[in-house]
Amino acid sequence: MTTPLQAMWQEARNDGSVRERLYRVLRQSIIRMVLAPGQALSEKELADAFSVSRQPVREAFIRLSEAGLVEVRPQRGTYVVRISQQAVLEARFVREAIEVAVAKEAATLGVAERTLDELRELIERQRRCSVSSDYDRFFQLDEAFHRALSLGVGHTAAWRVTEEVKAQLDRVRYLSIPDSTPIAKLTDQHSMIVVAIGRRDPDAASQAMSVHQREILHSLPELMRRFPEMFDGAPSAAAVGK
């Protein structure tokens, strides 16, 4: 087991059952490019590396396949899939629709002061990541921000749907930090969303969230040019920008 995987396995030691822990570690390792697009995965080697039986590894492969992150090829093996541009664009569309609705509702109906305080604290922690260039930690705090906002307006199911569809999108988001999309820019966008919610301005909150969710449309063409080996069936830059 490589050092990054070891660290991720230890970080996830409280994540429920071995099955759930293994799935989350492998999912995050693919998103963070610890397991690279096109890389072959060995059921036996992973089971030995994590000191688990092969059954939870096999189950994790099935879930990762359903999420579009690995491809199980009969008689040939299991491979990390390359990033699908179409899947990224579809996930971005779904995520924008959900999160714009969440931001609008938060501004329209209001949220508890403790939720606003939590969001502001997460933004401050994100700013510290910008100073220290802690990109892994920023990615975690970015997830925490969007989760806290959805849960703060009582939309747990909406967040679960977002989590299900955004696996391919997360890979591009992770790849885009810091060069294509600076942390400071994303943090400022978060701040604008919270300010609009605090002012109870649904139009401004919706607009701020929409701008934030469309940021990836600016970075995706550049990432496709810089890392063509990571993408599968890249469309034209014009198609990406739609």
Side-chain angles (χ1 to χ4, degrees), residues 20 25 42 45 53 59 75 82 91-92 115 135 198 226 233:
E20 188 62 27
V25 167
S42 167
E45 289 178 6
S53 69
E59 293 174 1
Q75 310 303 320
R82 288 179 170 78
R92 190 217 63 80
T115 297
Y135 308 122
R226 289 174 57 197

Side-chain angles (χ1 to χ4, degrees), residues 19-237:
R19 286 176 171 80
E20 188 62 27
R21 182 183 177 191
L22 184 60
Y23 169 72
R24 289 186 175 276
V25 167
L26 291 177
R27 184 182 187 279
Q28 284 301 113
S29 67
I30 293 172
I31 289 170
R32 298 185 191 181
M33 304 296 173
V34 174
L35 297 175
Q39 182 173 339
L41 302 178
S42 167
E43 184 180 295
K44 182 179 185 305
E45 289 178 6
L46 286 170
D48 292 344
F50 292 115
S51 299
V52 299
S53 69
R54 296 175 67 166
Q55 183 61 28
V57 178
R58 192 175 302 119
E59 293 174 1
F61 283 176
I62 292 172
R63 291 181 66 184
L64 291 168
S65 176
E66 292 171 348
L69 293 174
V70 305
E71 180 184 4
V72 180
R73 304 175 187 172
Q75 310 303 320
R76 296 178 61 186
T78 301
Y79 298 83
V80 178
V81 301
R82 288 179 170 78
I83 300 169
S84 163
Q85 294 82 7
Q86 186 60 35
V88 169
L89 295 174
E90 290 176 357
R92 190 217 63 80
F93 179 85
V94 172
R95 182 167 190 179
E96 180 184 356
I98 292 173
E99 298 223 35
V100 166
V102 166
K104 183 175 184 178
E105 183 171 316
T108 301
L109 302 179
V111 295
E113 192 61 34
R114 65 178 179 274
T115 297
L116 287 174
D117 288 342
E118 180 182 4
L119 295 171
R120 291 173 184 134
E121 172 60 22
L122 286 166
I123 289 170
E124 288 307 309
R125 291 165 67 185
Q126 290 168 10
R127 294 197 192 284
R128 292 196 288 272
C129 289
S130 180
V131 173
S132 62
S133 299
D134 189 344
Y135 308 122
D136 283 344
R137 184 58 180 155
F138 174 81
F139 194 82
Q140 294 169 5
L141 292 170
D142 178 72
E143 287 286 290
F145 175 87
H146 289 279
R147 181 179 184 274
L149 180 55
S150 288
L151 271 56
V153 291
H155 286 309
T156 304
W159 177 248
R160 283 201 298 266
V161 171
T162 300
E163 279 196 303
E164 286 298 318
V165 304
K166 69 186 182 69
Q168 292 278 23
L169 179 61
D170 281 346
R171 298 169 85 189
V172 175
R173 289 173 57 232
Y174 193 84
L175 196 61
S176 72
I177 299 171
D179 297 329
S180 296
T181 309
I183 287 177
K185 182 176 185 179
L186 296 173
T187 304
D188 286 343
Q189 291 173 350
H190 288 163
S191 182
M192 292 177 67
I193 293 165
V194 173
V195 167
I197 291 171
R199 289 203 315 258
R200 300 290 294 270
D201 186 337
D203 290 338
S206 299
Q207 178 63 19
M209 181 62 83
S210 182
V211 168
H212 181 57
Q213 293 298 332
R214 294 185 179 210
E215 188 64 40
I216 198 167
L217 295 177
H218 303 296
S219 61
L220 184 55
E222 178 187 348
L223 293 170
M224 289 161 53
R225 287 191 292 268
R226 289 174 57 197
F227 306 105
E229 72 283 359
M230 294 188 177
F231 290 86
D232 180 37
S236 67

